[in-house]
Amino acid sequence: MENEKENLFFEPHKRGLMKTPLKESTAANIVLADIQPDFGPLTTPTKPKEISQGEPWTPTANLKMLISAVSPEIRNRDQKRGLFDNRNGLSDVKDCLHEHFSGDEYEKSQPSRKEKSLGLLCHKFLARYPNYPNPAVNNDICLDEVAEELNVERRRIYDIVNVLESLHMVSRLAKNRYTWHGRHNLNQILGTLKSVGEENKYAEQIMMIKKKEYEQEFEVGKSYNTEDPIIKSNTGQNGHPDMCCAERPGVELRAASVNSRKDKSLKVMSQKFVTLFLVSTPQIVSLEIAAKILTWEDHVEDLDRSKFKTKIRRLYDIANVLSSLDLIKKVHVTEERGRKPAFKWTGPEISPNPSVSGLSPVLPCAASDLEARQSSKENCAKNLFSTRGKPNFTRHPSLIKLVKSIESDRRKINSAPSSPIKTHKAESTQNSVPFRSKMAQLAAICKMQLEEQSSEPRKNVTVQLAGSGHCQSVAPLDTPANAEPEMMAPSLIQPLGVVPLLPSPLSPAVPVILPQTPSGTSYAIYLQPAQAQTITPPPGLSPTVCPTTSSNAMISEDSTDATGENADSDAPKSSVSTRPGSLLPGPERQGAKNREREPAREKGSKRASMLEDSGSKKKFKEDQKAPENVSTTLFPSGYLIPLTQCSTLGAESILSSNENSGTLSPNHSIYSSPIAVTPLKLMVSPTSMAAVPVGHSPALSSSHPLPIQNPSSAIVNFTLQHLGLISPGVQVSTSPGPGTIAVSPRIEAVSVTPENAGAEQGRATKCDASILSQNQTNGQSFAGTGAQQPVPVTPKGSQPVAESFFRTPGGPTKPTGSPCMDFDGANYTSVGTLFVPQRKLEVSAEDVH
DNA sequence: ACCTCCCGCCATTCA
DNA sequence: TGAATGGCGGGAGGT
C-alpha cells in the first residue's frame, strides 16, 4: 500500500516536473499522439453525437480516450483508490470497449454532456479522497495525476480545486500539488463565512436586491443592469463601490490586474456564494441574485449583460461543485415574476464561526459570550437588520495588496519544500491490485463507482465507509481519531477578550482575527472600512421553491460521497462526543445570528467619511461581553485568512493525539503552511469584528506589541501594520448603536419541491447539532490586531508552521512580506477534528431526479 | 427559446 | 521563457 501510495505521489511529481505534460489541450495532444495508438476507446468516450455526425470524436476526445486507455497506471490507481470494484474494472471496461466499437452502443456509452459535467467530475474527484482524511497521512493531490486519471483537462481540475480550496477542503502545497483536507475544516470555514456574511449583512443585500427587483419589475422592468437602482445606490461617488478604494490616490493600486484577477477568482466567488446561503434565511439563493451581488461587488462598472452572464456561468460551475459536495441542491424558486433557478443549501447548519467548531471546553467566559452572541445572532437572523444602506462590497486597495503579498508568500512557501510524503490514504492500500487491463474507461468506472456509492452509502453511511471500495477505506480512519484530539487541544482555549480595533487612517481595512475553530485555525479578516450604506429592509417576496430535478440534483443524489461523508461525520461525532456541549442547537443558532457589531470607525479610511454617514443608522446588538454598536455601515470585502493555529500547543496536542502524529508532524508543518489564504471579498463590518472576543492570548491584541504567542496573530499584526491597515491607536468604539432594526427578510416562503421537501425541511430547522460545535469555538477569540508596528513577528520556534509563515519575508510596505498567508495547512493539520457533527439530512438523497 | 455549462483560447502569474 | 493558472465567453447540449 504504502508503496503504491508513494508511487502515486511520485508519479505526479515527476509528471509535473517533467513535462508540463499534460497541459491539456496542447500538451496533451502531443502526448496523446504518442500514446494514442494504445488507447482505443476506453475512457469516457467522446460525444456520441459527434460520432454520429461523421466525425467520430473531437481530437480532444480522442486524446482523452487514448490517454485513459493508455495509461494502465491510471486505471491501477483508480482501482487502488477503490474507485471501482474489480468487477467494474475489467468486465466493465471490456463492455465499454465493446460498446465503443459497436456503433449504437458505442454512442450510448459516449459520454453525454452531462457525463462530462463538472459536478460529475467533482464526484469522481471526491471519490478519490476520504471525507475525513487522516491528517497524519499526506494527502497530496497532484493535479496532473488527477487530470490524467479522470481523463479531463487540467483546466477542469482547477475549477474543482479552486472551489474546494475556497472551502478549505484542499490547500495548495506547491505547483501542481495540493493537500487534501477533506471536510475536516469545512464546518469551520462555513462558520467563518457565515459570520462574515452576517457581518457584512449579506442577507440584507439579498433582500435589497429582491426588493429592487420586485419594484423594478412592476415599475420599469429593467434588468439588472448598471442601471439597477441597487447598483446605483451602491456605487459611491465614483460610480461604483469598488472604485472608491481603488481610485484613492494614495493607494497603490491595486493594480487592476491584480485585483481583477483575484477578485474574480472562482475561489472568492465560491466563498461569497456559500456565504449567501449561510446568511439567507431560506437558505435558498437564486443564481440571479448571487450573480448580482457578486457582480456588484466587483466592479459595478463592469456590470453589463455579458458580465452578468459570465458570472452566471461561473456560478453554475461553482454550484456544480457544491452540489457534488452535497452542500447545495438545485431548486426552482417561483416568485411573482416567475420561476427561476436557484440552489438550496443542503449542507450542515452552521453556527457562526466564533463558536464554530469547537474547541472544546471553552472558558466559561467564552461560553457565556457565545451564548449572548448567539442569542443576538439569532435575533438578527430572524430579523435581518434592515439597514438601508447598501453595502458595498468593494475591496480596499490595501486588501488587494495584502492578498497579493499573501499569495506571493504562499507561492513561495508552496514552492519550497513540498515534497512530502505521501501517504495516500488507506485507499491506495486497498487497491493495490494492479490492473493491467486497458480499460480505459475511467469514465465508466467513475460512473459505476458513483452509482455504487450513491446507492449503498447513503443508506448506510457507516457502511459505506467501510464497505465501499471507493473512498472508503480512508474516510473512516480519519474522522474519529482526529476530531477529538483536536477538540481537546488545550491550546485553543484562550481567554476571550475584545480587542479594540481601530481602523488606521491609512487604510480602511481592519484586520481582525477571528476566533479559532476547534481546529485551531484562526482567521484574520481584513476589513475595509467601506462605505457604509444603509439598507432598506427588503420588501418581502415570497417565492416558492419548487424542487427541480436538475442534473445537479442528480448529482447530488448520486454523490454518495457526500452523504457518506455526512454520515461519517455524524457518526464520529456521536461516538466521539468530543464536544457534547457544543451540540446544543439552540445556542448555536443564536450564536450564529448574533453578531456584535462594533462601531465602524473608519476614520482613516478613505471612504470612511461617506460611509459613516450612511452608517448613521445602526443597529445594535449587544453582546454579552461588550455591547457594541452595530453600525450599519458595511465594509467592503476583506480577506479571510486562515491563521495557523496560534497555539503551538494545539498542534502538539493534536499530534500527540493522533496516532500518526509523530511521523506526520514534521511533514505536517510543512504542508500546512502553505495553505492558501482565501480571500474573502465579503464585506465585513468592523464592528462585528470588534465584537468578537479575542481568542488568543491578550497579548495578541493589537495593543500589545509584545511578541505574540501566536504566530498567526503576530503575523497578522505585522502584516496589517505593514500594509498600513492598522493604525496604532486603533480602537473600537463600543458605543451602543441605535436600536437595531429588525428586518424580516422576506423570504418567501419557499416551497420546496417535493423532492427535497422532506429532507430539506428537516434541514431547515436550523439549529442543528452542528451549531453546537460553534459554541466550542467561543473560546476562540477574535483578536483585533492592534496597530502596532509592523514588526515582523518573529517566528516562534514553537510551531513549525508558524515559522514558515514568519519566514516569509515581508517588506513593511510591501505586501509580499505579509506573513499572513496561508495558514490553511497549518490549520489543517492542527485541526483535525473540527467538525461538528453535521447534519446533513439525507434530503439530497431523496432528490433524485 | 432559454437554461446549463463544457470547452478551450489566451491572458496572467509563476518558476 | 516556458509552464502553471485560471478568466472568460462562444456556442452547443438539454429541456
Side-chain angles (χ1 to χ4, degrees):
Chain A
M1 310 255 328
E2 291 177 357
N3 292 345
E4 291 177 352
K5 290 177 180 179
E6 289 178 356
N7 291 343
L8 294 177
F9 291 98
F10 285 97
E11 289 178 355
H13 281 297
K14 290 178 181 179
R15 291 175 185 174
L17 295 178
M18 308 218 12
K19 59 181 201 179
T20 38
L22 306 180
K23 247 178 162 217
E24 13 283 68
S25 55
T26 57
N29 293 341
I30 296 168
V31 171
L32 294 177
D34 295 346
I35 298 168
Q36 289 179 347
D38 295 348
F39 295 81
L42 294 178
T43 57
T44 61
T46 54
K47 301 174 182 180
K49 291 181 178 180
E50 290 176 355
I51 294 169
S52 65
Q53 291 174 346
E55 292 178 355
W57 309 347
T58 61
T60 303
N62 288 335
L63 293 177
K64 291 178 181 178
M65 294 179 66
L66 292 176
I67 293 168
S68 65
V70 171
S71 60
E73 293 178 353
I74 294 170
R75 283 176 261 155
N76 292 342
R77 290 175 186 172
D78 289 351
Q79 291 174 348
K80 290 177 181 179
R81 288 167 193 178
L83 293 181
F84 40 85
D85 294 353
N86 292 345
R87 56 181 177 179
N88 290 344
L90 297 179
S91 65
D92 291 349
V93 171
K94 290 178 180 179
D95 293 350
C96 296
L97 293 177
H98 178 69
E99 290 178 355
H100 286 286
F101 292 100
S102 63
D104 295 349
E105 291 178 356
Y106 182 81
E107 289 178 356
K108 290 179 181 178
S109 66
Q110 298 259 342
S112 65
R113 202 172 189 233
K114 287 184 178 179
E115 293 175 327
K116 294 178 181 179
S117 72
L118 236 195
L120 215 183
L121 179 60
C122 186
H123 268 104
K124 292 176 184 176
F125 182 91
L126 294 173
R128 305 168 97 253
Y129 312 95
N131 292 329
Y132 297 94
N134 181 338
V137 176
N138 282 342
N139 296 293
D140 279 14
I141 297 172
C142 175
L143 299 184
D144 286 333
E145 180 182 326
V146 172
E148 283 185 26
E149 294 180 0
L150 298 180
N151 286 315
V152 296
E153 296 172 358
R154 193 192 278 163
R155 180 71 193 74
R156 303 280 75 77
I157 297 297
Y158 288 134
D159 289 337
I160 293 171
V161 169
N162 285 333
V163 173
L164 295 177
E165 187 176 11
S166 73
L167 297 177
H168 294 193
M169 290 181 70
V170 300
S171 59
R172 191 172 182 218
L173 289 179
K175 215 175 165 188
N176 256 317
R177 306 189 63 208
Y178 279 80
T179 292
W180 173 254
H181 298 156
R183 298 187 182 228
H184 283 299
N185 299 331
L186 189 58
N187 285 344
Q188 180 181 347
I189 185 64
L190 292 177
T192 299
L193 291 174
K194 185 172 184 177
S195 296
V196 173
E198 289 177 354
E199 293 178 0
N200 289 339
K201 299 179 181 178
Y202 264 40
E204 293 177 356
Q205 294 181 35
I206 293 170
M207 309 245 341
M208 291 180 66
I209 291 173
K210 289 181 179 178
K211 180 179 180 179
K212 296 288 183 180
E213 290 178 352
Y214 182 81
E215 292 175 355
Q216 289 181 348
E217 288 182 355
F218 289 95
E219 295 175 354
V220 176
K222 217 170 229 169
S223 58
Y224 44 81
N225 292 339
T226 359
E227 302 204 352
D228 184 334
I230 295 170
I231 294 168
K232 291 178 179 177
S233 64
N234 289 342
T235 47
Q237 312 125 347
N238 293 343
H240 54 77
D242 287 355
M243 296 312 293
C244 307
C245 298
E247 292 180 357
R248 296 288 175 167
V251 181
E252 4 308 24
L253 286 258
R254 35 275 5 324
S257 65
V258 171
N259 287 345
S260 64
R261 193 120 174 158
K262 297 301 178 182
D263 290 354
K264 294 174 183 175
S265 165
L266 203 67
K267 295 174 190 172
V268 173
M269 284 186 65
S270 175
Q271 291 190 330
K272 287 181 179 177
F273 190 46
V274 168
T275 299
L276 292 178
F277 286 100
L278 299 177
V279 302
S280 61
T281 301
Q283 290 199 306
I284 293 174
V285 177
S286 68
L287 292 177
E288 183 180 0
I289 290 174
K292 288 181 180 178
I293 291 175
L294 296 177
T295 300
W296 107 38
E297 285 182 351
D298 290 352
H299 297 283
V300 173
E301 51 193 347
D302 294 347
L303 191 57
D304 54 19
R305 190 66 183 174
S306 66
K307 294 295 181 183
F308 185 79
K309 290 175 66 177
T310 295
K311 269 316 193 209
I312 292 289
R313 290 194 190 97
R314 280 331 123 221
L315 286 173
Y316 275 116
D317 292 342
I318 293 168
N320 284 329
V321 173
L322 294 178
S323 292
S324 294
L325 291 171
D326 269 355
L327 294 177
I328 62 174
K329 163 189 203 178
K330 188 176 183 180
V331 298
H332 281 99
V333 174
T334 301
E335 294 180 350
E336 293 80 350
R337 301 176 184 176
R339 183 176 173 196
K340 54 186 184 180
F343 288 87
K344 178 175 183 172
W345 180 255
T346 57
E349 286 294 327
I350 359 180
S351 54
N353 205 1
S355 56
V356 179
S357 42
L359 296 180
S360 47
V362 177
L363 296 181
C365 297
S368 64
D369 291 353
L370 292 179
E371 291 179 352
R373 290 179 184 177
Q374 290 176 344
S375 63
S376 64
K377 281 187 177 181
E378 275 196 353
N379 294 341
C380 295
K382 293 175 181 178
N383 307 326
L384 296 186
F385 332 9
S386 56
T387 55
R388 330 187 259 23
K390 281 178 189 140
N392 272 339
F393 295 90
T394 61
R395 178 179 301 175
H396 192 283
S398 63
L399 292 178
I400 294 167
K401 290 180 179 179
L402 253 182
V403 172
K404 209 174 193 178
S405 66
I406 289 168
E407 299 224 345
S408 64
D409 289 349
R410 185 207 288 163
R411 300 236 169 199
K412 291 177 182 177
I413 293 168
N414 291 344
S415 63
S418 49
S419 59
I421 309 168
K422 9 222 74 242
T423 42
H424 217 343
K425 334 161 165 206
E427 294 175 354
S428 61
T429 60
Q430 289 179 342
N431 303 340
S432 59
V433 179
F435 254 83
R436 59 114 204 87
S437 62
K438 301 181 169 191
M439 9 183 341
Q441 305 204 338
L442 293 179
I445 292 168
C446 296
K447 289 179 181 178
M448 295 179 68
Q449 292 174 344
L450 293 177
E451 292 176 355
E452 291 176 354
Q453 292 175 345
S454 65
S455 65
E456 293 178 354
R458 289 182 182 173
K459 277 51 182 263
N460 305 339
V461 175
T462 58
V463 171
Q464 270 186 337
L465 295 178
S468 66
H470 322 302
C471 317
Q472 52 307 23
S473 61
V474 177
L477 297 178
D478 299 351
T479 49
N482 295 346
E484 292 186 349
E486 290 178 355
M487 304 290 298
M488 305 305 283
S491 64
L492 295 180
I493 300 167
Q494 293 178 345
L496 296 180
V498 172
V499 175
L501 298 180
L502 295 183
S504 68
L506 296 180
S507 66
V510 176
V512 175
I513 295 171
L514 298 180
Q516 277 226 302
T517 60
S519 62
T521 303
S522 6
Y523 292 85
I525 296 172
Y526 291 86
L527 301 181
Q528 296 174 348
Q531 53 295 4
Q533 294 177 343
T534 59
I535 296 170
T536 59
L541 296 182
S542 46
T544 57
V545 175
C546 300
T548 57
T549 58
S550 61
S551 62
N552 293 342
M554 294 185 64
I555 293 168
S556 64
E557 291 177 356
D558 293 351
S559 65
T560 53
D561 294 353
T563 57
E565 291 176 357
N566 293 344
D568 293 351
S569 65
D570 292 351
K573 290 177 181 178
S574 64
S575 66
V576 172
S577 73
T578 55
R579 9 178 145 187
S582 66
L583 298 183
L584 308 179
E588 287 180 356
R589 237 184 152 284
Q590 291 175 345
K593 299 191 170 177
N594 296 345
R595 260 225 168 165
E596 321 53 341
R597 304 201 165 191
E598 298 171 354
R601 45 181 69 225
E602 8 248 349
K603 37 184 180 194
S605 62
K606 302 160 183 186
R607 301 181 178 178
S609 64
M610 293 178 53
L611 298 180
E612 288 176 358
D613 295 350
S614 61
S616 62
K617 332 165 193 152
K618 308 171 177 181
K619 58 176 171 194
F620 300 82
K621 285 191 170 182
E622 293 177 350
D623 287 347
Q624 53 200 42
K625 292 178 180 179
E628 297 173 354
N629 323 356
V630 172
S631 62
T632 55
T633 61
L634 299 181
F635 293 82
S637 61
Y639 292 90
L640 179 58
I641 300 168
L643 298 182
T644 57
Q645 290 208 332
C646 306
S647 60
T648 56
L649 296 179
E652 292 174 355
S653 65
I654 294 166
L655 295 176
S656 64
S657 65
N658 290 350
E659 298 170 352
N660 300 343
S661 64
T663 58
L664 298 180
S665 65
N667 292 344
H668 188 28
S669 64
I670 293 167
Y671 294 111
S672 64
S673 63
I675 292 173
V677 171
T678 56
L680 293 184
K681 288 183 174 184
L682 301 181
M683 296 173 57
V684 175
S685 64
T687 59
S688 63
M689 300 307 291
V692 176
V694 173
H696 299 295
S697 64
L700 296 181
S701 66
S702 63
S703 63
H704 305 282
L706 303 181
I708 298 165
Q709 297 171 342
N710 292 344
S712 64
S713 64
I715 292 168
V716 172
N717 291 340
F718 173 76
T719 303
L720 294 176
Q721 290 173 346
H722 282 289
L723 294 179
L725 295 179
I726 300 169
S727 63
V730 174
Q731 294 174 346
V732 172
S733 66
T734 57
S735 63
T740 61
I741 297 166
V743 173
S744 56
R746 69 164 304 63
I747 299 214
E748 15 253 330
V750 174
S751 59
V752 175
T753 57
E755 4 166 300
N756 302 342
E760 290 177 355
Q761 289 175 345
R763 195 171 276 182
T765 57
K766 316 182 158 218
C767 312
D768 295 347
S770 64
I771 294 166
L772 298 180
S773 63
Q774 293 175 344
N775 294 346
Q776 292 173 346
T777 326
N778 291 348
Q780 300 169 345
S781 53
F782 270 127
T785 58
Q788 334 12 348
Q789 315 184 328
V791 176
V793 175
T794 60
K796 297 156 175 152
S798 64
Q799 278 185 334
V801 170
E803 289 177 356
S804 65
F805 291 119
F806 293 113
R807 289 177 185 177
T808 61
T813 49
K814 302 262 175 175
T816 56
S818 68
C820 322
M821 318 321 291
D822 314 344
F823 296 82
D824 293 356
N827 291 348
Y828 160 62
T829 56
S830 63
V831 177
T833 47
L834 304 182
F835 328 26
V836 174
Q838 303 176 346
R839 61 215 33 267
K840 177 176 238 171
L841 300 183
E842 287 60 357
V843 175
S844 61
E846 282 129 60
D847 300 347
V848 183
H849 295 311

